[in-house]
Amino acid sequence: MGITELFNQKLRVINLGVPLFAADLAQQGHAVTELDWNPPGGGDPRLLAALEKLEKVKDKVDAANRQVFLAITIAQPFLEGIARAGDVIPGMGERTLLHAGPPVAWKDMCGPMRGAVLGAIIYEGWAGNPAEAEKLAGSGEIAYSPCHEHDSVGPMAGVVSTSMPVFIIYNRVHGNYAYCTINEGLGRVLRYGAYRQEVLERLKWIEGELAPALQQALALSGGIDLRGLIAQALHMGDEGHNRNKAGTSLLFRLLAPYLARTELERDVIGRCLAFINSNDHFFLNLSMPAAKACLDAAGDVPYSTMVTVMSRNGSEFGIRVSGTGKRWFTAPANQVNGLYFPGYSAKDANPDIGDSAITETAGIGGFAMAAAPAIVQFVGGSAPDALEYSKLMYNITYGENSAYTIPALDFRGSPTGIDVRKVIELGILPNINTGIAHKDPGIGQVGAGLVKPPRQCFEAALLALAGTVDILD
Amino acid sequence: MEEKILVRPNTYYDSVTLMSASQKVGRMEGIDAALLGMGTQLNLELLGALGFDGGAEAGPNDLILAVRGVSPEAMERALAEAERILTRRAEQGSPRRAGLKSLAQAARLGAGNLALISVPGAYAVREARQALEHNLHVMLFSDNVSLQDEVELKELAHAKGLLLMGPDCGTAIINGVPLAFANAVRRGSIGIVGASGTGIQEVSVQIHRQGGGISQAIGTGGRDLSLPAGGRMVLDGIEALRQDPATQVIVVISKPAPPEIRAKVLTALEQCGKPAVYCVLGGEAGSGPAVKQAGTLLETASLAVEAAGYPVPALEWVGDALAIEAAGRLTGGQRYVRGLFGGGTLADEAMLLLRRKLGRVYSNSPLSSGEELADLGRSFRHTVLDLGDDRFTVGRPHPMIDYTLRLARLEQEAQDPEVAVILFDVVLGWGSHPDPAAELEPVLRRVRQSALVSGRDISLAAYLCGTERDPQGYQKQKDTLEGAGVKVFGSNAAAAEFAARVAQSVEGGQSSGNYGAVQPEA
């Protein structure tokens, strides 16, 4: 009997509740651990009831989550090539614009997204100038749809139009695809809502010269294992969201020989390599669709409480959960807590925006902060804080991704697979690293920092998950 | 306004360090703008946007330090600060460490083998279940847990061979470790399973005083012996103590239970192969072949000590002298006992002993329905209050921790000219108030003083439930109370007996004189 066994052990107490009881034990020199306990769901009885309901089918939920976690972690996203968005992205009509985050109507779009829409319309030649573009944008002739509903992701405004070249990522284990545009660089760029001439010219250059060149190189490469690149980048100070120096460098190293072996002119190769070299975030547009390809393999598993999408459109934050399929759970997006470039401050900032939180959803980005201590300073933290940010995330995730290990945590796998139940129960929200966009179109990035999703998304998801139990059981 | 731009060739800093430093320096007094950054195209543009003139010669590997301020001194300070920030080595310590957030996590890390749960009842069930699922024994201090949840938790605990002490379990001593409200008592050969927290405290204290010691004291919560709960924890507790070689005598402190449950418990005790004492307050004393039955806590302790083979100290027989002396100082009309208790079972025991001599004793938790106190705010004739009743504790801590209500009630009772004796308990031990006598003393002095001024004396009798090992210091507590004119007794029964006899004396009744427990603290 276990009780008699206890009599033969040293009693070690875990205290939750009245701190005095723990203090009394400590004063006597007895072993005691005090929990940093908070009421689950902030004490909301509806959430508590939902947790209890899921508890009753715990075995099914755990099995579903195990399946989801496995899918995320065994997926093998490969960069296979580049193609025109309209040719490969499913469900993309001629006059469709994809955007970041959950669904949003033109009239509700934030400044940077409106700017990006105008830029994309002019880029496609659907309008000749910003005024005409604005008229067309609100005319009802343009269909707006979230990237996430088309196997795609887009950083910041995330606007994708039909002529834009996109990376094709293929998950060789599950056979699904993910797509993302090519990163344009820093400063005034479309993803931050800039649409002046130089921005559109750069996009045209990407379409006309960079994309075909990279396509040739990729064809020679036979596909690039992005999981392998991300794994290495995490050992080199990246976290795959706000720091992509290492990933970009590794990609550059891989691509350069293939580019050199193409029939392209030396000047073209030179411009392409210089462009990649000049942009520390070039790899972001690969870490994101890599994460997307893994997570899409984990969608639509009944009973699963694991998050498959976290994403923002600049007004609203939205999540999707495996067990509730395509349904969005949205709430107003938060402001980013971070550092601003000189000359800018919080009053210039747009609320949190972009599909890039897909990296955190897959267990990198803010979840792998311990791998990238350099960027913890965005929120005024120190190197030990970076470790704590990651350690905290183990509380709300299913498991550790053995492919993505973190040297500073003694090669512990990155915390992977956000469990809505744990988020609500412990009141710990995911840490997301992100850039800060200027609220006005066209100005660009004004800082970077850390942001949390609104709690309401997870609350709504939990309630909906508990609702599915009634239907499934 | 003046500005200064320095360029340090081939000096690399991470852009985040530089942004952070720019922000700090830019906020310094007398500084209008600051940019610390590598000479990238972006930073050169920013420099221009901030109105700085220069720095254009810097390349991506060169560090730019640009400040604009009201005076050369302000700029010097700013540049020195920039220097300091950029050369800063990692500071020791982090502002926030992620603590353990959940039982599941604590269990996975092997942080313990018993969870002491005292979170609000609405959350307690879930936490207790998780603890059990992670193979942790549980002491569930929380109340407001439904009987159905209690039964489910206890079934789970039983299936896993784990303790589920509670809900509403205030006291346990496991492996010599006092949990929540428990006294520091000697370890020994007597194992207790108790449905009452203060019952366990009093029995363990009395065992300690009589020279015995405690192997384990397992709390079960007050409803364990109800029909739905079926005495699961009591029976598992008996079984665990039966198997425990350190336990030679088993004591069960029961509550009134349905006959079939009581029979199950008695059968388990009879068959356990060890001497056993079964206590139910007000129950018939008697001895079966193996199980001795006791009707008071004091008696329970004495029988257990005797069964364990410790030499039972002779009780000091005092008779009526002390009570008669106290009664002699009272004036006409002073005839009632008022009991103010923090411990529920101590209140019950006091009521039992009082009504043997005085008849009806009114209470908020009466022994019989005819003794229900109509108005909780006003005592009636002989009254004993359990101030740990939920109706008194709304919005305030338990009276063993917070004496506010007790002090107010003490003053109230003392003003009643019909009151002869105020009887109260002071429970020491871990969990309880760190210095109750200090709280009580000034009020006790004042009430006695004001009674004397109005031409009456008032008899104050207290039971100090504790041992010399308790953190409050038993002797100090006793001295303080006695200094305030309180008669301090060595058992709850003795204090109650004294109060009963005082009331009886002033009524002119005949005392039986044969109760042996009147034992003023030696």
Side-chain angles (χ1 to χ4, degrees), chain B residues 159-171:
Chain B
K160 302 198 90 172
L162 295 167
L163 287 169
L164 190 284
M165 301 188 283
D168 206 6
C169 173
T171 304

Side-chain angles (χ1 to χ4, degrees), chain A residues 12-98:
Chain A
R12 290 172 303 128
V13 176
I14 300 168
N15 189 59
L16 66 163
V18 182
L20 171 74
F21 295 156
D24 275 357
L25 289 168
Q27 196 187 324
Q28 298 167 79
H30 296 308
V32 61
T33 300
E34 177 137 44
L35 286 193
D36 181 9
W37 184 87
N38 287 298
D44 183 333
R46 293 173 315 142
L47 298 172
L48 214 57
L51 284 170
E52 285 297 292
K53 188 172 246 173
L54 291 165
E55 191 78 21
K56 296 231 157 54
V57 290
K58 189 171 182 291
D59 292 347
K60 288 175 183 166
V61 174
D62 288 348
N65 286 350
R66 198 173 311 122
Q67 184 188 334
V68 164
F69 175 77
L70 204 66
I72 297 172
T73 50
I74 66 168
Q76 288 180 15
F78 272 71
L79 169 58
E80 304 279 11
I82 292 176
R84 181 177 170 273
D87 294 344
V88 288
I89 295 181
M92 201 168 177
E94 255 323 293
R95 289 224 163 168
T96 302
L97 291 181
L98 305 184

Side-chain angles (χ1 to χ4, degrees), chain B residues 231-242:
Chain B
R232 278 176 181 81
M233 193 63 243
V234 170
L235 295 170
D236 282 358
I238 292 170
E239 176 58 20
L241 294 176
R242 184 188 72 78

Side-chain angles (χ1 to χ4, degrees), chain A residues 18 24 36-37 339 385 388 395, chain B residues 23 94 97 100 105 118 431:
Chain A
V18 182
D24 275 357
D36 181 9
W37 184 87
L339 272 180
D385 287 338
E388 295 308 316
N395 289 289
Chain B
Q23 203 160 67
S94 161
R97 287 269 164 251
L100 289 174
Q105 189 189 21
S118 53

Side-chain angles (χ1 to χ4, degrees), chain A residues 96-424:
Chain A
T96 302
L97 291 181
L98 305 184
H99 61 77
V104 60
W106 162 254
K107 64 178 172 49
D108 298 323
M109 285 181 189
C110 65
M113 189 174 281
R114 291 173 81 91
V117 164
L118 299 184
I121 288 173
I122 300 169
Y123 166 79
E124 292 291 341
W126 301 337
N129 58 56
E132 279 176 32
E134 186 141 9
K135 217 171 123 194
L136 183 65
S139 69
E141 284 179 43
I142 308 286
Y144 300 101
S145 189
C147 291
H148 271 296
E149 298 185 359
H150 300 269
D151 300 348
S152 305
V153 279
M156 304 315 283
V159 169
V160 184
S161 63
T162 45
S163 310
M164 290 180 187
V166 290
F167 289 121
I168 301 168
I169 281 74
Y170 179 62
N171 172 0
R172 291 190 179 176
V173 171
H174 301 92
N176 61 300
Y177 288 88
Y179 308 95
C180 187
T181 55
I182 298 172
N183 195 289
E184 316 154 68
L186 295 169
R188 296 187 196 283
V189 287
L190 189 79
R191 70 175 186 280
Y192 282 96
Y195 54 83
R196 59 162 75 167
Q197 196 54 34
E198 66 182 82
V199 174
L200 302 179
E201 278 168 11
R202 189 188 306 115
L203 287 173
K204 284 293 176 195
W205 174 78
I206 289 173
E207 182 187 335
E209 182 166 294
L210 179 64
L214 291 179
Q215 170 57 24
Q216 286 191 38
L218 290 172
L220 290 172
S221 76
I224 290 173
D225 176 7
L226 293 177
R227 190 168 74 154
L229 281 193
I230 293 168
Q232 292 176 65
L234 293 183
H235 286 192
M236 296 166 70
D238 278 6
E239 38 69 278
H241 186 171
N242 254 12
R243 191 177 196 275
N244 290 291
K245 270 188 212 293
T248 301
S249 306
L250 290 167
L251 182 74
F252 181 94
R253 212 175 66 169
L254 270 171
L255 284 175
Y258 294 119
L259 272 172
R261 279 164 50 194
T262 62
E263 301 294 319
L264 295 163
E265 284 174 30
R266 273 171 62 171
D267 281 357
V268 173
I269 296 172
R271 279 195 294 273
C272 291
L273 288 175
F275 180 78
I276 297 171
N277 184 47
S278 70
N279 178 6
D280 285 342
H281 281 296
F282 191 83
F283 191 70
L284 174 65
N285 289 38
L286 290 167
S287 66
M288 284 174 56
K292 172 72 173 164
C294 297
L295 287 157
D296 273 0
D300 293 309
V301 178
Y303 288 106
S304 172
T305 55
M306 306 265 272
V307 178
T308 51
V309 171
M310 292 197 291
S311 171
R312 313 83 96 196
N313 60 30
S315 316
E316 284 192 306
F317 196 109
I319 69 168
R320 281 171 157 185
V321 179
S322 185
T324 51
K326 306 274 180 262
R327 190 165 159 194
W328 289 97
F329 302 96
T330 62
N334 289 328
Q335 290 289 345
V336 181
N337 167 30
L339 272 180
Y340 289 86
F341 295 149
Y344 295 107
S345 70
K347 65 177 191 299
D348 301 311
N350 197 74
D352 191 17
I353 181 170
D355 283 338
S356 54
I358 196 70
T359 55
E360 279 80 12
T361 319
I364 53 175
F367 283 46
M369 187 81 113
I375 59 169
V376 77
Q377 298 175 86
F378 275 127
V379 285
S382 59
D385 287 338
L387 306 189
E388 295 308 316
Y389 280 119
S390 280
K391 283 185 191 166
L392 194 63
M393 293 300 100
Y394 287 105
N395 289 289
I396 56 169
T397 44
Y398 180 91
E400 302 175 9
N401 188 336
S402 56
Y404 297 153
T405 58
I406 301 175
L409 297 180
D410 201 13
F411 298 95
R412 199 173 172 189
S414 72
T416 303
I418 303 163
D419 187 336
V420 172
R421 294 176 304 172
K422 293 181 177 176
V423 170
I424 295 298

